[in-house]
C-alpha cells in the first residue's frame, strides 16, 4: 500500500471514530445517524474492496443490515439494545445467498462473493454496539468511556501509520492504545483505569489486525474501498466495546 493510500484509510478511520465520539455528546439519534452513515460507507466500498460481482446489490444488503441494527439498537428494550442483531444478520446472510442463487449457475466468484459480503454485513451490524454502549453509559455513573475509547483508537491508528514491519507495529500499537486508555481515563472521565486499559487493548488489537489484513493483498486501489477499509475496524469495535463496558462497569 502506498503512503497516500495508507493516509486515506487512516483518515477515514479517524474521521468515523471522531464522528462517533462527537455524536455521543449530542444525542442518541445523532449517534445512530452517524453509525448508519458509516454502514453505508462500508456497504458501498466493501464489494469494491473485495472485487466481487453484484456490487450494487450486495452494497444495498450490507448497508441495510448496518442501518437496521443501529436503528433497532436505539429503540430496543432497555437492557437489551442488541436484541435484534442476530436476527438482522441472519436475514442479511440469507439475502446474500439469495442474490448468489439469482445470479444463476456457473457465475464466477460465487463463493468469494458470498463469504466476503457476509463478512461485510457482520461488520456493519457490529457498529450498532456504539449505540448500545451510549445507552449503557446513560444508565450508569461511569461517563466518558466513549471519549476514552476514541483516544485509544486514535493512538492505535497513528501507530498503524508507521512504515515498519507488522512484528513491530502490532505490539507497539496495542501497547500504546492500552497506555492511552489507561492515562485518559483519570484525565477525561470517571472511568476506572483497569476497564479503560482493557478497552484500549481490545481496540488496539482490532486495528493492528485490520492493518495486517489490508496490507496482505497490497491494499485497496479505489477510494470507496479505502473509505470502507477505514470505517470497518471502527464499526467492528462497537459491539466489543459495549460488551466490555457491560462486563467491567456494571
Amino acid at each position: 500500500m502506498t503512503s497516500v493510500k495508507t493516509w486515506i484509510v487512516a483518515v477515514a478511520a479517524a474521521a468515523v471514530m471522531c464522528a462517533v465520539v462527537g455524536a455521543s455528546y449530542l444525542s442518541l439519534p445523532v449517534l445512530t445517524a452517524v453509525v448508519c452513515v458509516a454502514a453505508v460507507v462500508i456497504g458501498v466500498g466493501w464489494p469494491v474492496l473485495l472485487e466481487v460481482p453484484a456490487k450494487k446489490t450486495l452494497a444495498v444488503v450490507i448497508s441495510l443490515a448496518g442501518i437496521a441494527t443501529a436503528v433497532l439498537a436505539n429503540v430496543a428494550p432497555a437492557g437489551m439494545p442488541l436484541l435484534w442483531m442476530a436476527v438482522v444478520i441472519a436475514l442479511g446472510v440469507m439475502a446474500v445467498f439469495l442474490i448468489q442463487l439469482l445470479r444463476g449457475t456457473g457465475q464466477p466468484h460465487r463463493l468469494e462473493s458470498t463469504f466476503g459480503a457476509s463478512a461485510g454485513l457482520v461488520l456493519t451490524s457490529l457498529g450498532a454496539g456504539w449505540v448500545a454502549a451510549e445507552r449503557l453509559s446513560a444508565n450508569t455513573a461511569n461517563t466518558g468511556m466513549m471519549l476514552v475509547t476514541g483516544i485509544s483508537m486514535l493512538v492505535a491508528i497513528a501507530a498503524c501509520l508507521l512504515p515498519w514491519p507488522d512484528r513491530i507495529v502490532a505490539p507497539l500499537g496495542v501497547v500504546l492504545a492500552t497506555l492511552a486508555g489507561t492515562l485518559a481515563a483519570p484525565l477525561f472521565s470517571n472511568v476506572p483505569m483497569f476497564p479503560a486499559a482493557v478497552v484500549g487493548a481490545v481496540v488496539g488489537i482490532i486495528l493492528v489486525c485490520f492493518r495486517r489484513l489490508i496490507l496482505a493483498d497490497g491494499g485497496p486501489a479505489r477510494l470507496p474501498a479505502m473509505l470502507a477499509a477505514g470505517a470497518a475496524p471502527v464499526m467492528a469495535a462497537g459491539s466489543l466495546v459495549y460488551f466490555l463496558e457491560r462486563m467491567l462497569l456494571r
Side-chain angles (χ1 to χ4, degrees):
M1 185 187 298
T2 64
S3 176
V4 173
K5 293 179 182 179
T6 304
W7 276 96
I8 292 175
V9 173
V11 169
V16 173
M17 188 68 252
C18 290
V20 168
V21 174
S24 69
Y25 283 94
L26 297 176
S27 66
L28 189 61
V30 174
L31 176 59
T32 304
V34 168
V35 173
C36 290
V37 171
V40 174
V41 170
I42 297 176
V44 172
W46 194 257
V48 179
L49 177 65
L50 300 181
E51 298 180 354
V52 295
K55 291 181 176 61
K56 293 181 180 179
T57 310
L58 293 175
V60 171
V61 174
I62 295 172
S63 300
L64 287 178
I67 293 171
T69 51
V71 172
L72 289 172
N74 189 8
V75 300
M80 298 183 293
L82 301 183
L83 175 65
W84 301 105
M85 176 182 286
V87 176
V88 173
I89 292 176
L91 292 175
V93 172
M94 291 171 61
V96 171
F97 274 88
L98 181 60
I99 290 170
Q100 300 307 318
L101 290 175
L102 293 176
R103 289 179 61 207
T105 59
Q107 295 296 320
H109 304 295
R110 294 182 71 179
L111 183 61
E112 296 89 338
S113 183
T114 301
F115 282 107
S118 298
L121 187 148
V122 172
L123 287 175
T124 58
S125 299
L126 290 175
W130 293 117
V131 179
E134 179 59 21
R135 290 187 63 182
L136 180 64
S137 297
N139 295 325
T140 64
N142 295 289
T143 59
M145 177 57 93
M146 196 77 78
L147 176 60
V148 171
T149 304
I151 292 172
S152 296
M153 188 163 281
L154 290 176
V155 170
I157 292 171
C160 289
L161 286 170
L162 296 172
W164 298 340
D166 288 327
R167 64 179 181 274
I168 299 176
V169 174
L172 181 62
V174 175
V175 170
L176 290 178
T178 304
L179 290 175
T182 304
L183 296 176
L187 292 175
F188 304 109
S189 72
N190 61 350
V191 177
M193 296 176 69
F194 176 72
V198 173
V199 171
V202 169
V203 298
I205 291 171
I206 292 171
L207 280 164
V208 298
C209 288
F210 266 88
R211 178 185 187 270
R212 177 56 183 165
L213 288 173
I214 293 169
L215 291 176
D217 62 351
R222 298 170 60 184
L223 182 60
M226 297 177 200
L227 297 179
V234 179
M235 291 286 276
S239 291
L240 289 175
V241 170
Y242 164 70
F243 286 116
L244 286 174
E245 285 191 36
R246 186 157 188 169
M247 288 188 298
L248 299 174
L249 297 180
R250 297 296 297 267

